[in-house]
């Protein structure tokens, strides 16, 4: 039984789903206002692997992740580029899915868009007003955080502490009574160039915290199993989602889990405000999506993920070891007894313990070593490695030898000839040249294998 740390209680507890055998999960998706960055790669890869593992383990998973297609950042970008907000969100959503394809991230079962749910959000805001959990300020409708006694659950702090730490936001949300309160409905002024939807309070747009509550409850139902997302969203975004559901008398997510942040070369958190975010399209020009998956799997989902030249090289190295092994064993017969049961059991044991992917990867690298030391066990061990990497974690291995073009093949032949006549100076200089061209060489008993650097 898979146990996961619950952010709300701080405890490791087994997943006990609402409906036996079925698991409903919600992840806050992107705001399509710009290019995806490494924080996006981290959470999508971590939860994609998690979803695949659950499915592989026999759960019937229903996975919903939203697309925020109306937001202040989208409006600002549209004004900057003289485009409509629809054009901006369509452009960056297309880029988002293109990048997800490169990362090998499977699409969620549903990807609701905020703009398709505005009517339902208006209904929720009306309900919160009627129940006395919301109030009208000058420029919109606000949620009263003091009206929910359990506010602060996810921050695991009480209201007084949170209030003391909260910054009083300037003019933008002028109608707030308390700095922790948040906007449910933002009125759009007549001279403002921004899309607006009709509401009983006047034309406007919904607040960000409101969309996820409405969409998750609509598509997954009350008391859905897991709400997941980046740790930076736990407070206030997730806290505010939860507060609205509680105030509306609805059971929200039963469990919460959060992935850690991404750190840069200096060990600093990557964030748009610091200005050190690494663009995902840029990184994916230099590295295969599989390298990033290897990097994410090599770090526990709750730990900070350090993205440096060294950690990227290590992740590429782990992937090369697995790829090389896959090529070595590709001609082996299928094992009569199926994949090695002991490896599968150890692999599951690691992942069932708070989704310990580094532990699970260590099990697989151990199986690679065992297969080399005990060739008679190689068919069963390699079948287990392949099953776990590809089916359970979504890390596809390169089984086929690469075909290289004639220029490269000719250089390899010249180098083999140089080696056989003992001209190591020439051999090394050709190796250097191939490396510059992005190839790595592996000298083996039957000659030299050449492949693209990952
Ligand atoms: Zn959300």
């Amino acid at each position: 039984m898979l146990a996961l740390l619950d952010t709300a209680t701080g405890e490791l507890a087994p997943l006990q789903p609402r409906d036996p055998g079925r698991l409903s999960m919600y992840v806050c998706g992107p705001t399509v206002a710009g290019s995806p960055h490494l924080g996006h790669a981290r959470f999508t890869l971590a939860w994609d692997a998690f979803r695949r593992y659950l499915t592989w383990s026999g759960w019937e998973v229903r996975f919903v992740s939203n697309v925020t297609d109306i937001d202040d950042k989208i409006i600002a970008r549209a004004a900057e580029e003289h485009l409509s907000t629809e054009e901006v969100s369509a452009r960056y959503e297309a880029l988002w899915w293109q990048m997800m394809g490169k990362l090998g991230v499977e699409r969620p079962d549903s990807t609701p868009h905020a703009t398709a749910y505005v009517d339902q959000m208006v209904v929720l805001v009306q309900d919160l007003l009627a129940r006395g959990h919301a109030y009208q300020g000058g420029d919109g409708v606000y949620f009263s955080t003091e009206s929910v006694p359990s506010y602060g659950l996810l921050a695991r702090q009480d209201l007084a502490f949170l209030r003391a730490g909260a910054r009083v936001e300037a003019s933008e949300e002028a109608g707030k009574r308390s700095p922790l309160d948040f906007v449910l409905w933002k009125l759009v002024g007549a001279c403002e160039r921004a899309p607006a939807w009709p509401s009983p309070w006047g034309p406007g747009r919904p607040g960000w915290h409101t969309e996820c509550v409405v969409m998750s409850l609509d598509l997954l139902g009350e008391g859905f199993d897991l709400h997941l997302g980046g740790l930076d969203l736990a407070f206030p975004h997730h806290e505010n989602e939860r507060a609205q559901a509680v105030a509306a008398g609805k059971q929200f997510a039963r469990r919460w889990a959060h992935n850690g942040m991404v750190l840069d070369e200096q060990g600093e958190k990557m964030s748009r405000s610091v200005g050190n975010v690494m663009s995902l399209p840029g990184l994916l020009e230099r590295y295969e999506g599989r390298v990033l998956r290897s990097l994410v799997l090599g770090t526990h989902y709750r730990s900070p993920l350090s993205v440096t030249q060294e950690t990227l090289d290590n992740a590429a190295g782990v992937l090369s070891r697995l790829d090389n092994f896959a090529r070595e064993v590709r001609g082996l017969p299928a094992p009569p007894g199926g994949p090695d049961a002991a490896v599968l059991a150890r692999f599951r044991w690691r992942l069932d313990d708070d989704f310990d992917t580094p532990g699970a990867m260590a099990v697989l690298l151990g199986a690679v070593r065992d297969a080399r030391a005990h060739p008679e066990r190689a068919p069963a061990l390699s079948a287990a490695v392949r099953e776990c990497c590809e089916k359970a974690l979504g890390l596809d291995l390169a089984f086929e030898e690469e075909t290289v073009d004639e220029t490269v093949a000719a250089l390899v032949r010249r180098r083999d000839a140089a080696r056989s006549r003992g001209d190591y100076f020439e051999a090394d200089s050709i190796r250097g040249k191939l490396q510059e061209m992005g190839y790595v060489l592996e000298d083996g008993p039957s000659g030299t294998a050449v492949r693209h650097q990952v």
Side-chain angles (χ1 to χ4, degrees), residues 204-251:
R205 62 179 180 273
W208 175 44
H209 306 310
T210 303
E211 67 179 82
C212 290
V213 192
V214 167
M215 296 190 283
S216 59
L217 288 173
D218 182 61
L219 292 164
L220 296 172
E222 275 194 56
F224 64 89
D225 296 309
L226 270 173
H227 196 314
L228 311 164
L231 190 58
D232 54 339
L233 296 186
F235 188 87
H237 181 55
H238 291 162
E239 189 79 50
N240 291 349
E241 287 182 20
R242 200 190 72 86
Q244 292 168 82
V246 170
K250 295 189 161 61
Q251 210 203 334

Side-chain angles (χ1 to χ4, degrees), residues 378-398:
L381 289 168
S382 61
V385 170
R386 184 170 190 177
E387 173 85 19
C388 295
C389 282
E390 300 194 334
K391 300 235 171 73
L393 296 173
L395 185 64
D396 289 334
L397 301 182

Side-chain angles (χ1 to χ4, degrees), residues 262 264 266 268-277:
V262 177
D264 68 6
Q266 281 73 43
E268 223 179 299
K269 195 187 128 185
M270 276 188 202
S271 80
R272 283 205 198 279
S273 50
V274 179
N276 60 346
V277 285

Side-chain angles (χ1 to χ4, degrees), residues 44-60:
T44 51
L45 281 167
W47 302 124
D48 177 73
F50 181 68
R51 172 201 196 183
R52 287 172 189 262
Y53 176 63
L54 290 170
T55 307
W56 182 71
S57 305
W59 295 80
E60 192 189 310

